[in-house]
Amino acid sequence: MVKAKSNKIINKKIKLHSGLFFLNCLYKLRSNQTYSLCGCLAVAPLALSFNVQSAAAESQMIQFDIKAQRADLALIEFAKQTEQTVVFSFDLAKQYQAQSVYGYYTQLEALSNMLKQTELDAVVDQNGLLSIKLKQINRNDNNMRKLSGVSAAVLPLLMATNSQVANAQEQAAQENIEKIAIVGSRVAGRSVEDLPVPVDILSAEALENTGQTEVGRMLQAIAPSFNFSSSAISDGTDALRPATLRGLGPDQTLVLINGKRRHQASIIHINTSVGRGTAGTDMNAIPAAAIKRIEVLRDGAAAQYGSDAIAGVINIVLKDADEGGKAAVNYGQYSEGDGETVTVDFNKGFALGDDGYLNTTINYRDRAPTNRAGLHGSCQFYGCTELSDGTLLAGDPRELTAPRDTFRIGDADSQQFALTVNSGYELAGGELYGFITYSTRDNESAAFFRENANGGGNPVLQDGDAVIPMGFLPKINTTIDDVSYNFGFKKEFDNSSSLDLSYTYGENSIDYTTSDTINGSYANLLRYDQGLSADDIRATIPRQAYAYGMELSLQTINLDFTQDYDDFSLAMGAELRTDEYRILEGSEYAYRDYDTNNGVNIYDGMSGGIGSENAAGGTQGFGGSAPASSVDESRDVISFYLDAETYIIDDVIISGALRYDNYKGFGDTVNFKLAGNWSVTDDVSLRGAVSTGFRAPSMQQLYFNNISTQFVVGPNGTLVAEEVGTFRNDSTLAQSIGIPKLKEEKSQNLSMGIVYNVTDNINVTLDYYSIDIDDRIVISNRLGKGLSDTLDAALVSSGAGAGQFFLNGADTETQGIDFVATWNTEGLGGTLDFTLAANFTETDVVDLFTPQGSGLETIPVEDVFSSQETSIIEEWQPQDRVNLSALYRLEDWTVNLSLNRYGEYTVEDGGRQTYGAEILTDVKVNYFVTDNLSLNIGANNLFDVYPDKNTIGNSRAGTIVDAAGNTIVSSTGVFEYSRRSAPFGFNGAYYYVGAEYRF
């Protein structure tokens, strides 16, 4: 392993911050020294030492948060929380169970309470070094004194961090250091401040303090470079929101679980929302209660980890405690009285003998829907007359009493159950490890309301009235199942090398069922083919159908080897990977057009002038997928990497990585990364990196295809329904117009930054980044007829009114700055931790192009890629995010206050609207009733802040009056807030209470 070049590297401080947990170094020091005690030798005890500066005094009260656990683990926590050197035998301490310590105590009281039911004593030698020994040994050692008898004169020696003995212990232990690895470096134990790239480490406590119930929202609250935008009436995107890093796409961030590649979600976002045309990872499939910490690498890392790591890497580390746990319940709702959410968590660690652990988490979340829809201002029935001032005079008397709250626009109704198991066991000189994650989520969101006067979706029958006379609101029901498991074996050898072999499988599936709907064309079949009466049609027409399903799976075999030398570390490895993607056909009723055959209306002229002859096919709201659109495809990938890191001089770390990937389809790619960190002084470090990267076309971008109803802005500014086909890259239609196979995106990343430890309690980091992406994969505009003869013929044969395709069609440039400052101090009788974090980012589309030699080449590029497509990439996410948080601790009380600023963003949807910056206030108060039981109360968006009201892309606007001129309804439209992009949603204030019991 790389040896520390100076004491400052060993003496990195462990800092706990409310928003960002900078884990600098966690050492398990294995010392070969022997101690002579009572004339006997204690052979090769394991020593663990944390040596950091402390200003504690004998009477100073410190807040402790140490759960009941094995004594060795409890002592580690004590050392971290007191920033105090502790030396003890690992083999000895792990035989005992320490008691929990919660609340404010002196160090003496905390140690006494923690060890009171063990055979261990805390003692201090004549030089002030704190050690843990057996009680009977302590009594016979004239050179040791029990901690309980430490005098005021000796105590300062205990607290002094410059003790020569303590430093000697450290120096002796440096030869055998086992360290915790952090994403961004394959060298175990490299501190965050030593890394040449920025890494945020977010603790479980920081996640919990946000008060959010979803991991995606938790990350958004404390990591400004992370966005988790909301949209509404966007099909599957309502159930699985796009998560982005540094303003790039959801598929340009790699997600890991315990350092292993995580599979993507099977859904692809094809509607008009943030991340349109991309497929990301389901961030909410892992319950927060199962997470030990989240590491966010904010830099390109494709040369280290492979495809997708252009914006960065998010590594979710699962809990691994072998004892203790918690049970928690939380209830909340929005200020409007909806969105009631109940969350129940249970986590427990189990010891597998003396050599292993099994940590399991169960989570259940039930979230009711929210609704922020405006009133339905357009006529729902036939017979309205437009007056000279633009108002509508009601014709059908039912118009006067028709309900106007016909839409449901907000969060989907959702229920999720999740189970996570993480385990490890020492075997044959190594560790056998693995994890299992499983979640199932049921969601229900709403589509567009189909009123009586919707002739295509709610056709008129022979009695002159619609199939559903009062109209209907289709519901899109999704069931998302997510499962993954991993097992592996890692062995460390005496020559400072290690070998890690692992297998990981993951699968995400989504099934769509459309309910409260009809297939309008089937009503015509019942009328004309089966001769049913209007009443019989209404009584028998099916109202629900299975639309289709999608499955995406990933299998990965990894072999990793590391070798540490005195001044040099080397890592190399190989990866075999198989991607599989399937689209499952829906029921016939969901996709079939019963009154049309090969584009010809088969009931033409049979209505006698009353009712419909040609209605829309497929289930309204969300149509099905026909057998011809079924998919069952796979792709193999093989990769090799080489990674090296060294100190070229005492204060300069240089790292480099080289990776080769070969994909079945587009071929191979080679990428590199070169990075460095220079510790200019003990308090100032400069860091920087340059790298190339890539993102392979996702399986969804290669093979997804269907025909769906999309609502787009028409010529008069209102939303109109359009049947749009999404055609796979190798489809007959795509090939007929000469669209080439997709190839990989290519990126060039540059970053540079500074780390400044202003004082022992104040830390500042500032990083600049630049990300250029060539051949970015984007989805085209909805291309209709009249643009190209070749395209016209292809669309006619497909049965779609318009088509959209995935193309390598854009080059983009992204620049930005990340800023993080932390300050830990004392005040108001307790401790205060402040964090100020900010991200400023800007993405520009610098070039748009169509494939040369294709049928699209003759179409102007601005028609193939509309200005809206460009706006989604450049403008639909805030260009700045700022978070200021304060964590206050006083005895059994904890208060977390956070201010989140969401900067301006612009949405183009028929027109253009810029939404102003908003500041949201979150607060959470926690109180420990006993050592184990705590209660909390809080609010997210305390002051009920909403985004600006929507002025573009609206629907169902209008004013209706009766014959006397009385206004029945007047509405600017049902979309009071933008349904396309809402960075913090549009639900308003959320208030909650909760309880937690730790054991």
Side-chain angles (χ1 to χ4, degrees):
M1 296 187 181
V2 176
K3 291 183 179 178
K5 290 296 183 177
S6 65
N7 283 337
K8 71 176 181 181
I9 295 172
I10 283 293
N11 293 337
K12 291 289 183 180
K13 305 177 185 68
I14 295 177
K15 303 177 181 178
L16 289 170
H17 303 306
S18 61
L20 300 172
F21 175 31
F22 288 94
L23 178 61
N24 288 343
C25 280
L26 179 57
Y27 300 103
K28 291 181 181 177
L29 303 181
R30 285 179 166 82
S31 173
N32 292 323
Q33 181 181 359
T34 60
Y35 295 88
S36 178
L37 302 173
C38 307
C40 301
L41 292 179
V43 181
L46 294 177
L48 186 147
S49 174
F50 287 80
N51 192 8
V52 288
Q53 192 171 11
S54 174
E58 180 178 10
S59 61
Q60 182 181 2
M61 303 290 285
I62 298 175
Q63 185 185 30
F64 289 91
D65 185 359
I66 303 176
K67 65 184 180 183
Q69 56 189 309
R70 240 171 43 199
D72 59 304
L73 301 176
L75 288 167
I76 292 173
E77 286 299 317
F78 175 86
K80 288 164 58 178
Q81 294 180 26
T82 60
E83 298 188 347
Q84 171 63 39
T85 298
V86 183
V87 179
F88 65 91
S89 165
F90 179 84
D91 285 336
L92 174 65
K94 75 176 185 180
Q95 301 176 41
Y96 298 95
Q97 177 74 8
Q99 304 301 303
S100 63
V101 180
Y102 293 115
Y104 277 80
Y105 300 92
T106 66
Q107 295 188 39
L108 312 185
E109 292 171 340
L111 270 178
S112 176
N113 290 338
M114 194 169 69
L115 301 177
K116 64 183 178 181
Q117 294 187 16
T118 72
E119 296 298 320
L120 301 176
D121 256 352
V123 296
V124 180
D125 69 9
Q126 293 175 339
N127 295 294
L129 182 64
L130 172 63
S131 300
I132 305 300
K133 304 291 181 182
L134 280 173
K135 288 181 179 179
Q136 60 268 31
I137 295 178
N138 297 336
R139 286 193 295 267
N140 296 323
D141 188 350
N142 295 326
N143 294 321
M144 297 286 183
R145 278 176 282 182
K146 288 187 179 181
L147 186 62
S148 58
V150 175
S151 67
V154 177
L155 189 63
L157 293 176
L158 168 65
M159 303 306 173
T161 60
N162 294 322
S163 166
Q164 294 179 352
V165 174
N167 287 335
Q169 294 284 355
E170 276 184 4
Q171 191 65 32
Q174 286 182 25
E175 298 299 324
N176 294 291
I177 300 177
E178 177 191 353
K179 307 176 185 178
I180 291 178
I182 299 173
V183 66
S185 173
R186 295 190 187 274
V187 178
R190 182 70 66 225
S191 74
V192 169
E193 293 180 355
D194 283 339
L195 289 176
V197 291
V199 176
D200 299 330
I201 298 188
L202 313 175
S203 68
E205 179 189 17
L207 296 173
E208 291 176 3
N209 283 338
T210 66
Q212 301 287 346
T213 59
E214 302 175 343
V215 171
R217 288 294 188 206
M218 291 176 179
L219 279 172
Q220 185 182 38
I222 55 179
S225 60
F226 182 90
N227 279 298
F228 200 59
S229 184
S230 296
S231 59
I233 311 188
S234 51
D235 297 345
T237 306
D238 291 348
L240 205 158
R241 300 189 187 107
T244 67
L245 197 63
R246 286 182 162 178
L248 295 180
D251 54 4
Q252 290 163 334
T253 297
L254 176 63
V255 178
L256 310 175
I257 300 289
N258 284 357
K260 308 300 181 183
R261 176 179 285 267
R262 177 75 170 171
H263 58 279
Q264 289 185 328
S266 54
I267 187 178
I268 186 164
H269 306 287
I270 61 171
N271 279 316
T272 309
S273 66
V274 170
R276 172 169 151 81
T278 67
T281 301
D282 187 355
M283 298 302 299
N284 291 333
I286 305 295
I291 297 174
K292 180 179 181 180
R293 66 177 185 270
I294 297 180
E295 304 166 353
V296 182
L297 167 60
R298 295 180 275 116
D299 194 66
Q304 296 168 288
Y305 301 102
S307 178
D308 307 342
I310 292 178
V313 180
I314 297 175
N315 182 33
I316 299 175
V317 181
L318 301 177
K319 289 182 177 178
D320 56 5
D322 63 358
E323 292 176 328
K326 73 172 186 178
V329 62
N330 184 280
Y331 170 83
Q333 70 174 23
Y334 288 97
S335 56
E336 292 291 323
D338 57 7
E340 291 185 342
T341 302
V342 176
T343 304
V344 180
D345 292 307
F346 178 83
N347 172 263
K348 181 69 174 72
F350 301 91
L352 302 180
D354 295 330
D355 301 314
Y357 67 90
L358 186 147
N359 192 281
T360 184
T361 302
I362 297 173
N363 163 264
Y364 175 74
R365 185 179 72 244
D366 187 346
R367 185 190 69 197
T370 60
N371 188 11
R372 301 296 178 268
L375 297 178
H376 191 142
S378 61
C379 287
Q380 298 183 33
F381 297 87
Y382 295 100
C384 285
T385 304
E386 185 173 355
L387 303 179
S388 59
D389 60 357
T391 60
L392 298 169
L393 176 62
D396 192 312
R398 291 176 292 181
E399 196 75 65
L400 305 179
T401 57
R404 297 295 161 183
D405 52 350
T406 57
F407 277 68
R408 197 175 87 190
I409 301 170
D411 286 348
D413 190 4
S414 177
Q415 298 84 37
Q416 173 171 297
F417 171 81
L419 170 68
T420 301
V421 178
N422 188 35
S423 184
Y425 191 82
E426 294 181 14
L427 181 68
E431 182 186 27
L432 182 66
Y433 62 86
F435 63 78
I436 299 171
T437 71
Y438 169 76
S439 70
T440 181
R441 186 187 318 149
D442 292 321
N443 299 271
E444 182 192 79
S445 58
F448 271 71
F449 182 75
R450 266 62 172 181
E451 60 271 4
N452 180 289
N454 186 327
N458 193 6
V460 175
L461 300 178
Q462 57 266 43
D463 64 356
D465 207 355
V467 176
I468 311 296
M470 297 305 294
F472 59 95
L473 182 64
K475 308 298 192 311
I476 303 171
N477 302 273
T478 58
T479 297
I480 302 174
D481 290 325
D482 193 287
V483 63
S484 69
Y485 55 86
N486 159 270
F487 57 87
F489 183 76
K490 182 175 182 179
K491 184 174 178 61
E492 296 184 357
F493 301 96
D494 294 338
N495 63 349
S496 298
S497 65
S498 70
L499 192 65
D500 187 350
L501 176 65
S502 66
Y503 171 82
T504 307
Y505 176 84
E507 180 178 309
N508 179 276
S509 66
I510 182 168
D511 289 297
Y512 294 98
T513 298
T514 313
S515 61
D516 296 335
T517 185
I518 63 170
N519 182 330
S521 67
Y522 190 71
N524 286 338
L525 179 142
L526 294 176
R527 174 184 177 184
Y528 298 114
D529 275 12
Q530 299 185 18
L532 270 63
S533 68
D535 288 341
D536 288 341
I537 292 173
R538 294 187 180 102
T540 59
I541 191 167
R543 301 299 308 277
Q544 177 174 305
Y546 174 68
Y548 64 90
M550 293 186 292
E551 298 175 355
L552 182 86
S553 66
L554 170 69
Q555 297 183 74
T556 308
I557 298 175
N558 291 97
L559 179 63
D560 301 290
F561 173 79
T562 65
Q563 176 69 64
D564 292 325
Y565 302 96
D566 287 345
D567 299 311
F568 182 76
S569 292
L570 178 69
M572 63 182 68
E575 179 179 277
L576 297 175
R577 174 176 146 198
T578 298
D579 300 317
E580 294 181 309
Y581 181 59
R582 289 170 290 277
I583 297 180
L584 311 177
E585 66 183 74
S587 65
E588 180 183 278
Y589 183 77
Y591 64 79
R592 184 174 171 182
D593 189 343
Y594 290 94
D595 57 20
T596 302
N597 188 10
N598 294 324
V600 178
N601 176 21
I602 60 178
Y603 302 129
D604 188 29
M606 297 178 62
S607 66
I610 301 177
S612 170
E613 296 174 350
N614 187 9
T619 45
Q620 288 294 297
F622 194 84
S625 182
S629 297
S630 297
V631 169
D632 189 355
E633 299 286 349
S634 64
R635 176 177 66 184
D636 295 324
V637 185
I638 184 169
S639 308
F640 302 94
Y641 73 86
L642 184 66
D643 199 322
E645 191 167 310
T646 186
Y647 279 93
I648 57 174
I649 58 175
D650 282 358
D651 297 313
V652 177
I653 301 174
I654 294 294
S655 65
L658 188 68
R659 186 180 178 102
Y660 168 83
D661 295 88
N662 183 276
Y663 279 74
K664 175 186 175 183
F666 72 80
D668 54 14
T669 178
V670 177
N671 293 276
F672 79 91
K673 182 169 186 174
L674 183 64
N677 182 298
W678 175 28
S679 297
V680 182
T681 69
D682 286 351
D683 299 315
V684 177
S685 297
L686 301 178
R687 60 191 180 192
V690 60
S691 65
T692 62
F694 78 103
R695 189 189 69 81
S698 69
M699 297 293 285
Q700 300 95 315
Q701 290 172 330
L702 288 169
Y703 300 114
F704 178 80
N705 63 117
N706 84 334
I707 297 177
S708 63
T709 302
Q710 297 186 24
F711 283 81
V712 297
V713 179
N716 61 353
T718 60
L719 293 179
V720 295
E722 184 177 29
E723 296 299 310
V724 179
T726 303
F727 298 96
R728 56 189 281 177
N729 194 242
D730 61 350
S731 66
T732 302
L733 188 147
Q735 291 179 352
S736 69
I737 59 176
I739 293 179
K741 291 182 178 180
L742 291 178
K743 58 183 179 181
E744 77 276 18
E745 299 175 350
K746 300 174 183 176
S747 68
Q748 300 83 44
N749 291 61
L750 172 67
S751 67
M752 58 187 70
I754 183 172
V755 179
Y756 179 30
N757 295 313
V758 183
T759 68
D760 289 340
N761 300 322
I762 300 176
N763 176 276
V764 176
T765 67
L766 180 67
D767 292 276
Y768 164 82
Y769 58 89
S770 172
I771 307 170
D772 296 342
I773 304 176
D774 297 330
D775 298 321
R776 189 162 172 169
I777 298 172
V778 290
I779 191 169
S780 74
N781 191 21
R782 304 162 189 87
L783 304 177
K785 298 173 184 176
L787 295 173
S788 161
D789 292 340
T790 304
L791 179 60
D792 288 352
L795 289 174
V796 170
S797 65
S798 71
Q804 55 190 19
F805 315 90
F806 292 99
L807 305 166
N808 292 100
D811 294 340
T812 65
E813 294 179 355
T814 299
Q815 295 186 80
I817 292 174
D818 288 324
F819 174 82
V820 179
T822 60
W823 177 32
N824 306 322
T825 186
E826 296 179 357
L828 303 176
T831 62
L832 284 165
D833 298 334
F834 296 96
T835 300
L836 175 63
N839 170 259
F840 304 88
T841 191
E842 182 176 359
T843 295
D844 293 314
V845 177
V846 296
D847 192 19
L848 290 170
F849 46 88
T850 54
Q852 294 183 357
S854 71
L856 302 180
E857 191 175 19
T858 59
I859 303 176
V861 70
E862 60 269 20
D863 290 334
V864 178
F865 303 107
S866 68
S867 57
Q868 185 185 57
E869 308 298 331
T870 301
S871 177
I872 291 173
I873 295 174
E874 293 183 339
E875 302 176 315
W876 284 30
Q877 300 184 72
Q879 292 192 353
D880 64 87
R881 284 279 321 283
V882 181
N883 169 268
L884 174 62
S885 63
L887 180 64
Y888 173 63
R889 296 184 177 98
L890 175 63
E891 298 181 350
D892 294 325
W893 293 90
T894 301
V895 180
N896 190 79
L897 176 66
S898 179
L899 302 178
N900 285 284
R901 183 186 191 274
Y902 295 81
E904 289 186 351
Y905 61 99
T906 299
V907 172
E908 180 171 332
D909 192 23
R912 287 176 58 82
Q913 181 178 354
T914 297
Y915 296 83
E918 301 289 355
I919 297 177
L920 274 63
T921 303
D922 300 337
V923 62
K924 181 178 181 180
V925 179
N926 190 81
Y927 174 69
F928 273 93
V929 181
T930 69
D931 287 349
N932 304 99
L933 176 64
S934 65
L935 303 177
N936 64 81
I937 185 171
N940 292 327
N941 190 4
L942 175 64
F943 299 111
D944 205 24
V945 176
Y946 282 81
D948 294 342
K949 288 292 185 74
N950 182 44
T951 62
I952 60 173
N954 222 317
S955 181
R956 307 314 197 262
T959 300
I960 303 174
V961 297
D962 62 14
N966 299 313
T967 300
I968 299 170
V969 63
S970 183
S971 172
T972 57
V974 294
F975 297 113
E976 292 200 354
Y977 307 98
S978 175
R979 76 182 184 101
R980 302 299 193 185
S981 176
F984 56 88
F986 43 79
N987 288 320
Y990 179 80
Y991 305 111
Y992 61 89
V993 294
E996 178 177 292
Y997 185 82
R998 299 183 181 182
F999 45 83

